[in-house]
Amino acid sequence: MCEAALEEVSVLSSIYCGEGEFQLIQQSAGDGPVVQIKTTVGEGRAAEVSLLFRLPPGYPSCPPDISVSSPGLSRGQCCSVRRKLLEQAAALPHEPMVHQLVAWLQSGEVIEEERGSEEEVKEGGGGEEDWTAVLLLDHIRSRRRYVRLLERWTQQLQLSGRLLLGRPILVLLRGSRVNVKEFWRLLKTVKVDVDASGRKCKERMMKILCETSLSSSSKHGPAGFIVTEYQSVSELTAAFQEINMTEVYQQILPSLTG
């Protein structure tokens, strides 16, 4: 882990020292630190925003990766804010920049732009596309850590989902398409498990069995993040029936039995 990133993490913890403002999510020599900063953006209709910064080994010569979530913004707005933050980061000099990015967002202009855009979409009758995906995991060694991260990401990305623990291990996700894809990216780039030697490792064997837009009957699927254990095929079938995803189950069944 580079010295600049270590120093910046220390500085950020001092600046954002209020309760719940700063959290060091991951500290890894190989992948760099991951920090979370929670802040309030704008005046009047202020929005609480949670920002996740991953500082890669080459940082600050290369910009951080960023995730954005907020209970006061839609999924599409969060993704748009993330894109603008990444664009701003790419335009800054190659020096520690996390505090500059947070301060830039706190000005409130970006949030107001997004809210204005949403009003235009509503007037035009537009909306966001609901999406569902089924992921196949090969194994989970550190169950507590793995489940904690999956639950955190679904909350940050405003997804709902279910982890089905048995053979096979499946993850069901529902939400906006861009946020589902962001979940995949996190799953492949953050160390979520441990290897046979007990060292933290990334998820390298995840497979996407299915991704599709939701039918009207499936929009009443899993709420929040739920962990379900099953022992048999009939119990797995019942789990999909319970969340109105029987059609999806039939679609992935050949991949599970082949």
Side-chain angles (χ1 to χ4, degrees), residues 61-79:
S61 295
C62 56
D65 195 7
I66 306 170
S67 295
V68 178
S69 63
S70 171
L73 301 175
S74 68
R75 298 184 186 102
Q77 286 174 320
C78 287
C79 291

Side-chain angles (χ1 to χ4, degrees), residues 60-213:
S61 295
C62 56
D65 195 7
I66 306 170
S67 295
V68 178
S69 63
S70 171
L73 301 175
S74 68
R75 298 184 186 102
Q77 286 174 320
C78 287
C79 291
S80 183
V81 170
R82 174 180 180 268
R83 176 178 55 79
K84 291 178 180 180
L85 279 168
L86 290 172
E87 290 174 353
Q88 180 71 4
L92 290 173
H94 293 168
E95 57 188 31
M97 65 182 70
V98 172
H99 178 55
Q100 285 181 264
L101 292 172
V102 176
W104 178 74
L105 185 62
Q106 286 173 330
S107 69
E109 294 180 8
V110 175
I111 299 300
E112 291 307 315
E113 286 177 5
E114 291 306 317
R115 283 174 168 160
S117 298
E118 184 179 68
E119 292 300 322
E120 293 177 4
V121 169
K122 286 181 178 178
E123 291 175 3
E128 291 182 349
E129 182 181 18
D130 280 320
W131 203 252
T132 189
V134 182
L135 314 181
L136 173 67
L137 304 181
D138 183 73
H139 62 272
I140 295 178
R141 286 193 174 94
S142 179
R143 174 170 169 173
R144 182 177 178 181
R145 172 181 173 80
Y146 211 121
V147 171
R148 185 176 69 247
L149 286 173
L150 295 187
E151 185 173 12
R152 178 185 298 157
W153 294 338
T154 54
Q155 182 180 19
Q156 291 173 340
L157 295 170
Q158 300 176 40
L159 299 172
S160 51
R162 181 168 297 202
L163 173 63
L164 300 176
L165 289 173
R167 295 305 299 172
I169 303 171
L170 301 175
V171 179
L172 316 182
L173 297 171
R174 180 171 62 89
S176 73
R177 185 175 186 177
V178 287
N179 282 8
V180 169
K181 291 184 179 295
E182 174 66 7
F183 185 98
W184 303 345
R185 188 194 65 77
L186 287 170
L187 190 56
K188 289 195 171 188
T189 58
V190 176
K191 292 184 178 181
V192 294
D193 206 1
V194 296
D195 61 19
S197 302
R199 293 172 297 190
K200 293 179 182 179
C201 63
K202 299 175 185 178
E203 176 54 71
R204 302 185 185 279
M205 303 181 71
M206 182 270 288
K207 295 181 181 179
I208 302 168
L209 297 183
C210 169
E211 56 168 320
T212 183
S213 59

Side-chain angles (χ1 to χ4, degrees), residues 8-26:
E8 184 169 20
V9 168
S10 177
V11 171
L12 290 171
S13 66
S14 299
I15 296 174
Y16 303 98
C17 56
E19 183 177 358
E21 276 191 309
F22 177 86
Q23 184 180 1
L24 179 59
I25 302 296
Q26 174 178 300

Side-chain angles (χ1 to χ4, degrees), residues 46-65:
E48 294 183 2
V49 179
S50 176
L51 304 168
L52 201 68
F53 294 92
R54 176 179 176 271
L55 311 182
Y59 178 84
S61 295
C62 56
D65 195 7

